Amino acid sequence: MDILTPVVPVERQHPNFRLLSSFELSGPEQAVLQSWADGFRDRDGKFAKEFQTTYNSSFWELYLFAAFSELGCQIDQQHSSPDFVLDSPGGKLIAEATIASHPDGYAPEWERSADPETVLGISREEIVTLASIRLANAITAKHRKYTESYSTLPHVAGKPYVICVAPFEQPYFFRQNNLAIRRVLYGFDQHIYSDDEATGTRTVFGETTRESVTKDNGTQVQLGLFTRSGMEDVSAVIFSTTATFSKAQALAAAGPYPVVFFAERYNADGLKPYVIRLPRPVYRETLLDGLQVCLNPLAARPLDPGWLVERGAALHSFDPSTGKYLAMAPDGFLISRVSRGFLPPGGTAGHARAPQPSDTFKRPRLPEFPEGQLVPVGGQVMTNVDHHLAHYRGWTIMVARDVVDNDWGAQAFEGLYRSLSECQAGTTPRCHLLARGWYPSPAEALEEAKGRVDAEIGRRSGAQETPSR
């Protein structure tokens, strides 16, 4: 199937396709994309048009077709839906492709032509918040499609149902790795840990969690979809942030202009990932690099992930008996990758887009922290649970309950933080204040911490006003 010959006018083409098709130096990347389409059956007669007008969703579907073929799946293309009816090395299954796109008023992913420093100045929490909302919407929509339509189809009945989702919801979406998807599916944010550089060991003493995220209209989007009942029809989610145009650049053996790749790969024996900076064609990457599989432990029809793990996929799951998020990845797993092309003088003529003003687009809504009031944030650090945060006079107060004695303690961190992990990362002897004891209620612990902050601010103010002698 020819996907590259334009079938719609230029003004109707997606910005990404318009750039791809009109850029005379993109021949090697075009060849890779066309190879993904080899053998792909256009079942409704409009795929090429959709690839050229909507691009990202079709790009992801083409990538999945190539990936499933590479994985040794037999793909039955005689049915109009769902997207993939597969006979895999692990058994028969159904797979449906979807993407997370930007909401109205937010920057689309192709606006990353804007100043990178401005875009990357958005906080990590803002990036992951928006990604979490959009991924949750995409997954729940495809779950609803299964229950309302797909489940009644004879070729679907009794087979595991897998949702394949890719994030394209914002500029630099590819930098999120799995931070958002593990929140969406397992309610897990990240581990709290301490690294000993001398011995090369890491001590994990807690984790941060997320139960919900707030949309612009104030609606709460529940997270942890695979940790509770309601999603039993979804066997797993296949996910990737590396199935992007840079994947096509990496797979192209050579090209008429230099491309340098910046990548991070998982280091199973060290505290920090392998960092790679190599030019094409020295840089090496496979089609399947970066593929992640998230299992639903409550699935009515479980997916056997062995055939995916054997080919290098990362595996995510959840233990309902302990409430713990589980993950594993092979040494060298591709965490992230970006590319930078160095075009000849004038090579960008007619292709570069003018950056939008930084205030043109909306930013994700983060939880409000009324001055001096506790906001629940969840998480567990050693024996402390039920964490709450409060902003007070430029400090962040953290209050938590000790499960051993069931009393409440508090500590304060200089600076304003919105998550438990940010508090832990910001801890230094200079800005860390501990409450003097433990208290029967979170309110009493908060008041004690406020007093410590007041005293510290007063001490500093007094020291500054004391005349020198």
Side-chain angles (χ1 to χ4, degrees), residues 51-373:
F51 178 75
Q52 296 176 18
T53 55
T54 62
Y55 190 78
N56 286 328
S57 57
S58 301
F59 180 98
W60 174 235
E61 189 171 348
L62 277 181
Y63 169 79
L64 289 170
F65 178 79
F68 285 136
S69 300
E70 177 71 15
L71 285 162
C73 297
Q74 298 298 315
I75 306 175
D76 183 350
Q77 299 187 72
Q78 63 179 319
H79 304 286
S80 60
S81 61
D83 293 323
F84 297 99
V85 179
L86 304 173
D87 190 352
S88 79
K92 298 180 184 297
L93 68 138
I94 303 298
E96 178 76 352
T98 187
I99 65 168
S101 297
H102 67 282
D104 291 342
Y106 284 77
E109 56 83 15
W110 57 86
E111 283 297 340
R112 59 182 177 273
S113 59
D115 178 15
E117 293 301 321
T118 300
V119 176
L120 295 179
I122 296 176
S123 72
R124 168 189 176 274
E125 189 58 34
E126 286 179 297
I127 292 172
V128 179
T129 292
L130 180 58
S132 299
I133 293 171
R134 302 306 291 172
L135 285 169
N137 286 350
I139 292 169
T140 54
K142 287 302 181 181
H143 172 245
R144 186 165 55 251
K145 185 71 172 178
Y146 179 89
T147 58
E148 295 177 354
S149 175
Y150 297 158
S151 61
T152 64
L153 302 175
H155 60 279
V156 171
K159 298 182 179 71
Y161 175 63
V162 177
I163 298 175
C164 306
V165 61
F168 293 96
E169 78 292 328
Q170 59 189 307
Y172 298 95
F173 62 89
F174 43 82
R175 295 179 180 271
Q176 67 183 266
N177 187 23
N178 54 35
L179 296 177
I181 196 67
R182 65 195 192 191
R183 282 189 185 183
V184 171
L185 298 179
Y186 307 113
F188 177 82
D189 182 26
Q190 67 183 58
H191 288 110
I192 303 295
Y193 59 85
S194 176
D195 287 343
D196 188 330
E197 300 286 350
T199 61
T201 58
R202 171 171 293 172
T203 302
V204 176
F205 52 89
E207 63 184 34
T208 62
T209 57
R210 282 288 194 281
E211 294 183 358
S212 65
V213 64
T214 306
K215 297 174 68 172
D216 286 344
N217 60 9
T219 302
Q220 293 291 304
V221 177
Q222 295 301 307
L223 305 177
L225 300 178
F226 283 177
T227 66
R228 60 180 186 272
S229 62
M231 277 272 179
E232 291 87 354
D233 286 326
V234 180
S235 304
V237 164
I238 288 179
F239 177 80
S240 176
T241 58
T242 63
T244 64
F245 183 73
S246 291
K247 173 72 75 174
Q249 287 184 308
L251 296 178
Y257 64 97
V259 179
V260 176
F261 295 89
F262 305 83
E264 289 188 350
R265 290 182 177 269
Y266 175 61
N267 181 359
D269 299 317
L271 301 177
K272 297 180 179 180
Y274 303 115
V275 178
I276 300 166
R277 179 181 179 180
L278 289 172
R280 184 169 70 179
V282 180
Y283 176 77
R284 289 290 182 266
E285 184 174 317
T286 71
L287 178 71
L288 302 178
D289 266 337
L291 205 60
Q292 308 193 47
V293 184
C294 307
L295 299 180
N296 184 356
L298 306 177
R301 293 166 293 280
L303 174 75
D304 175 6
W307 57 286
L308 293 159
V309 174
E310 289 171 0
R311 298 297 299 274
L315 186 66
H316 306 261
S317 190
F318 180 83
D319 185 347
S321 65
T322 62
K324 293 298 183 182
Y325 161 76
L326 308 170
M328 58 174 286
D331 185 60
F333 176 80
L334 182 63
I335 298 172
S336 65
R337 172 257 299 118
V338 296
S339 64
R340 182 179 180 186
F342 295 87
L343 302 179
T348 59
H351 301 291
R353 293 185 295 271
Q356 295 291 318
S358 59
D359 59 353
T360 300
F361 304 108
K362 294 180 181 179
R363 295 177 68 144
R365 173 176 176 170
L366 297 180
E368 296 182 1
F369 279 73
E371 179 72 7
Q373 298 182 31

